[in-house]
Amino acid sequence: MSRSLVLAGKLDSLGDSWLGTLEDWGDKGLKVALIAIVVITVVRKVSLKAGIGALIGLVLALGIYNSRNALANIFEDEVNNPANSQPAVTIVVAEKAAPAPGGVL
Protein backbone atom coordinates (compact mmCIF):
# COMPACT_ATOMS: atom_id res chain seq x y z
CA MET A 1 0.00 0.00 0.00
CA SER A 2 1.33 3.41 -1.05
CA ARG A 3 0.99 6.34 1.30
CA SER A 4 0.97 9.92 0.17
CA LEU A 5 0.92 13.03 2.25
CA VAL A 6 -0.78 16.24 1.16
CA LEU A 7 -0.10 19.33 3.21
CA ALA A 8 -2.83 21.87 3.57
CA GLY A 9 -2.57 25.60 3.15
CA LYS A 10 0.75 27.39 3.47
CA LEU A 11 2.65 24.28 4.56
CA ASP A 12 2.28 22.97 1.00
CA SER A 13 4.52 25.72 -0.38
CA LEU A 14 7.02 25.68 2.50
CA GLY A 15 9.82 24.13 0.42
CA ASP A 16 9.19 26.55 -2.44
CA SER A 17 9.42 29.53 -0.10
CA TRP A 18 12.75 28.29 1.26
CA LEU A 19 14.12 28.02 -2.27
CA GLY A 20 12.76 31.46 -3.12
CA THR A 21 14.38 32.92 -0.01
CA LEU A 22 17.74 31.37 -0.87
CA GLU A 23 17.46 32.67 -4.42
CA ASP A 24 16.74 36.21 -3.17
CA TRP A 25 19.67 36.03 -0.76
CA GLY A 26 21.89 34.82 -3.61
CA ASP A 27 20.90 37.75 -5.82
CA LYS A 28 21.46 40.28 -3.04
CA GLY A 29 24.63 38.53 -1.89
CA LEU A 30 26.15 38.75 -5.38
CA LYS A 31 25.52 42.49 -5.52
CA VAL A 32 26.96 43.00 -2.04
CA ALA A 33 30.02 40.91 -2.90
CA LEU A 34 30.65 42.90 -6.10
CA ILE A 35 30.32 46.21 -4.25
CA ALA A 36 32.70 44.92 -1.56
CA ILE A 37 35.23 44.01 -4.27
CA VAL A 38 34.99 47.55 -5.68
CA VAL A 39 35.50 49.14 -2.26
CA ILE A 40 38.38 46.82 -1.36
CA THR A 41 40.07 47.51 -4.71
CA VAL A 42 39.80 51.27 -4.24
CA VAL A 43 41.07 51.11 -0.65
CA ARG A 44 43.99 48.79 -1.44
CA LYS A 45 45.18 50.59 -4.56
CA VAL A 46 44.27 54.13 -3.43
CA SER A 47 43.84 54.94 -7.08
CA LEU A 48 41.08 56.60 -9.04
CA LYS A 49 41.89 54.43 -12.06
CA ALA A 50 41.46 51.27 -10.00
CA GLY A 51 38.12 52.55 -8.70
CA ILE A 52 36.86 53.38 -12.17
CA GLY A 53 38.00 50.02 -13.51
CA ALA A 54 36.33 48.20 -10.63
CA LEU A 55 33.08 50.14 -11.19
CA ILE A 56 33.13 49.28 -14.91
CA GLY A 57 33.64 45.63 -13.99
CA LEU A 58 30.76 45.87 -11.51
CA VAL A 59 28.43 47.32 -14.13
CA LEU A 60 29.40 44.65 -16.68
CA ALA A 61 29.01 41.79 -14.22
CA LEU A 62 25.62 43.00 -12.99
CA GLY A 63 24.45 43.65 -16.55
CA ILE A 64 25.32 40.14 -17.66
CA TYR A 65 23.83 38.65 -14.50
CA ASN A 66 20.56 40.58 -14.82
CA SER A 67 20.16 39.62 -18.50
CA ARG A 68 21.03 35.95 -17.98
CA ASN A 69 17.56 34.70 -18.93
CA ALA A 70 17.42 36.71 -22.15
CA LEU A 71 20.94 35.59 -23.10
CA ALA A 72 20.06 31.98 -22.34
CA ASN A 73 17.01 32.22 -24.61
CA ILE A 74 19.10 33.71 -27.43
CA PHE A 75 21.71 30.95 -27.21
CA GLU A 76 19.06 28.26 -26.93
CA ASP A 77 17.32 29.59 -30.04
CA GLU A 78 20.65 29.71 -31.90
CA VAL A 79 21.43 26.09 -31.02
CA ASN A 80 17.92 24.76 -31.72
CA ASN A 81 17.31 26.76 -34.94
CA PRO A 82 20.64 27.38 -36.71
CA ALA A 83 18.95 27.82 -40.12
CA ASN A 84 17.15 30.96 -38.90
CA SER A 85 20.34 32.80 -37.95
CA GLN A 86 22.11 35.44 -40.02
CA PRO A 87 24.77 34.16 -42.45
CA ALA A 88 28.41 34.82 -41.72
CA VAL A 89 29.95 37.90 -43.32
CA THR A 90 32.57 37.06 -45.94
CA ILE A 91 35.32 39.58 -46.66
CA VAL A 92 37.50 39.16 -49.74
CA VAL A 93 41.02 40.53 -49.34
CA ALA A 94 43.04 41.28 -52.46
CA GLU A 95 46.51 39.76 -52.47
CA LYS A 96 49.37 42.24 -52.73
CA ALA A 97 51.88 41.85 -55.52
CA ALA A 98 55.32 40.57 -54.54
CA PRO A 99 57.99 43.28 -54.37
CA ALA A 100 60.65 43.40 -57.05
CA PRO A 101 63.90 41.59 -56.28
CA GLY A 102 66.06 43.73 -54.04
CA GLY A 103 63.11 46.02 -53.41
CA VAL A 104 61.80 47.22 -50.10
CA LEU A 105 58.41 46.19 -48.81
Side-chain angles (χ1 to χ4, degrees), residues 8 24 81 93:
D24 289 341
N81 305 312
V93 179

Side-chain angles (χ1 to χ4, degrees), residues 9 12 28 30 34 47 49 53 62 67 70 83 86 88 94:
D12 189 31
K28 292 175 186 171
L30 175 68
L34 288 173
S47 166
K49 282 185 185 178
L62 285 177
S67 65
Q86 294 292 326

Side-chain angles (χ1 to χ4, degrees), residues 97-105:
V104 179
L105 290 177

